[in-house]
Amino acid sequence: MRRAAPVLPFVVTAATPGALRGQLGRLRDHLADTGGPALGDVASALAGTRATTLPYRAVVAARTGKQLLSALDAAAVAPAPAPAGRPRLGVVFAGQGAQWAGMGGGLVGGFPLFGRVFGEVLESGVGVDRTEFAQPVLFAYEVALFRLLESWGVRPGVVGGHSVGEVAAAHVAGVLGLEDAVRLVGARGRLMGGLPSGGVMVAVEASEERVLPLLGAGVGIAAVNGPDSVVVSGSEGAVGAVLAGLGGVRSRRLRVSHAFHSPLMEPVLEEFGEVVSGLVLRDPVVPLVSGLSGRVVVPGEVSDPGYWVRHVREPVRFGAVVGELGRLGVGVCAEVGPDGVLSGLIGRVSSGVSAVALGRRVGDEAQTLVEGVGELFSAGVAVDWEAFFAGRGARPTALPTYAFDHRHYW
């Protein structure tokens, strides 16, 4: 089978909106007139021999010459982006439910580092929706993707995650070494997956204050994702009673095997606590926002095994996490996960934090990733493009000169 051409970023920056449009147009004409030198050579030359720190920025991702010319045409007539500043970058890791069979397959071939970290765990795709497999697989994907970003110079100022995604965030923040993080995730998935099935989770458009008085035995709030976005979790009958009490609010049943973050998790808490007590837990070296409190963790908080036991049972307060990111000055947030679940939540909760999903369930995984990193760069996030092209064997190639505005000084 012929391997697909790699997705390449074509990085163009300029001092003014007009110069950016001119640069894009000149590059398009140059490639069309010359018949197109090797795309890898052009992309590498743009990253390594042209300024990449000017304030107006555009990154076009393409696999083929035809795709590149079309994308350059579109970018040249698009409104110029706002000048890039230096926003604080947040990185959030998705939780269970974002996974899908075969995820990561589109990244392994083009990005060897991702493949090395991720391994062959998704080769067959069997059982990816079963809890005991889903959580370790999702953790592997997210750590591999984060390490790939890290190799390109993308460094977060703060991290967080949704449910099991917070374990990945804690690992990259230095709370858990890789071996201990894998043990925690493995035990978490195994114990949860071993519980009797039959629990349900339903997302409802209602506030926490409205839901709380309706809770009875066998049901709880699993997540508070925003002011009017709550997930109710528990036994079928108990969840049904809550929905009846809410009087027909919009709701959506989640595709899950168990009722996570509910009273139905309590039978596994003691055994899970024994596992966590045997791990080495440290305070984070990168600021970590807690999904339990919605605040940056304080010394001694996540190094206490009891935190991770409560993490299985108590609600995920992701709406508060987003609010904390805004208070910490995060201007742009990258979602590390196989789908754009959290990015949608961030957009509904905060107007001050823009979100970029680096993975999508549909489409070309590599294209989505490179375009996403390009979005981060255009928003002012530092990206080491030369590191992206390191080892690709690019050759020197001529590029068009800078498109000056030619405005008279006087």
Side-chain angles (χ1 to χ4, degrees), residues 51 133 177 184 190 193 218 252 259 383-384:
F133 300 128
L184 188 153
R190 173 178 56 80
R252 177 174 56 89
V383 177
D384 185 349

Side-chain angles (χ1 to χ4, degrees), residues 146-237:
F146 179 83
R147 296 306 180 201
L148 184 59
L149 293 173
E150 196 175 46
S151 76
W152 297 338
V154 179
R155 300 284 192 274
V158 57
V159 297
H162 198 292
S163 191
V164 71
E166 190 177 337
V167 181
H171 165 60
V172 304
V175 175
L176 291 147
L178 182 59
E179 184 176 332
D180 280 346
V182 168
R183 288 180 60 197
L184 188 153
V185 173
R188 195 180 192 272
R190 173 178 56 80
L191 292 170
M192 287 180 171
L195 287 167
S197 58
V200 299
M201 300 180 73
V202 178
V204 298
E205 291 188 3
S207 67
E208 181 180 12
E209 291 73 23
R210 187 175 175 187
V211 172
L212 278 173
L214 302 174
L215 299 179
V219 66
I221 291 177
V224 183
N225 292 322
D228 294 299
S229 179
V230 168
V231 176
V232 180
S233 180
S235 66
E236 181 96 39

